[in-house]
Amino acid sequence: MSNIANLKNFSLFTNNNDNVRFFKSKDIQVKADYSCYEPKRELSVSGIKAPSEKALGGDYLKLTIAMGAQGARQYADGALFRNDRKGENAKAPDMTGVLTMPDKSEKRLAGWYKKSTSGVSYLSVAISD
């Protein structure tokens, strides 16, 4: 079984599937703006753009990560903000944030905008302690 504590990375793509939902609360769900689904790793991620007074540029990405087999799934919530300290450093992440784990501990998120060889844009996300 996959364990969310061991998750180190994933890639987020623009969601084109109306059935991929983001749960704003127990009773409120919307179509996800971004998603990741990897059956081999038992991983699914959904995300939405959310307005923020704190975020430069106005929006941030709110994420929910689910990992593991049905009945034993673990969930973590995260947020990615535009990295206003990137400057001229091409290797610095485009976005940074925090992932709150099921045990309420926190991990660091870093994201880089990339383009696949076929021209598809995505956000590559790394998780670290």
Side-chain angles (χ1 to χ4, degrees):
M1 178 172 90
S2 299
N3 184 332
I4 204 164
N6 298 324
L7 183 63
K8 300 293 180 202
N9 59 55
F10 58 89
S11 296
L12 277 177
F13 295 87
T14 300
N15 178 38
N16 296 317
N17 183 339
D18 289 339
N19 295 322
V20 176
R21 311 301 285 177
F22 182 88
F23 288 82
K24 288 184 165 185
S25 69
K26 182 180 172 186
D27 300 322
I28 300 173
Q29 58 178 295
V30 297
K31 178 185 174 204
D33 296 321
Y34 302 95
S35 65
C36 166
Y37 178 64
E38 296 182 27
K40 286 184 180 180
R41 292 203 296 174
E42 299 176 328
L43 171 68
S44 61
V45 182
S46 62
I48 59 170
K49 285 184 188 176
S52 171
E53 293 175 11
K54 289 191 248 181
L56 294 175
D59 290 338
Y60 73 102
L61 296 181
K62 191 172 182 177
L63 304 173
T64 296
I65 299 172
M67 192 167 193
Q70 294 294 355
R73 277 178 96 66
Q74 298 174 334
Y75 296 88
D77 294 315
L80 278 166
F81 297 88
R82 187 174 58 129
N83 183 6
D84 59 342
R85 296 185 212 165
K86 182 175 174 86
E88 298 298 318
N89 184 352
K91 292 186 177 184
D94 297 303
M95 301 188 84
T96 60
V98 174
L99 180 67
T100 304
M101 302 300 287
D103 65 1
K104 304 300 181 211
S105 65
E106 292 184 343
K107 293 195 175 205
R108 181 179 183 269
L109 292 175
W112 293 263
Y113 290 113
K114 296 186 176 187
K115 193 171 276 199
S116 71
T117 54
S118 62
V120 175
S121 296
Y122 66 98
L123 183 66
S124 177
V125 180
I127 302 170
S128 61
D129 290 327

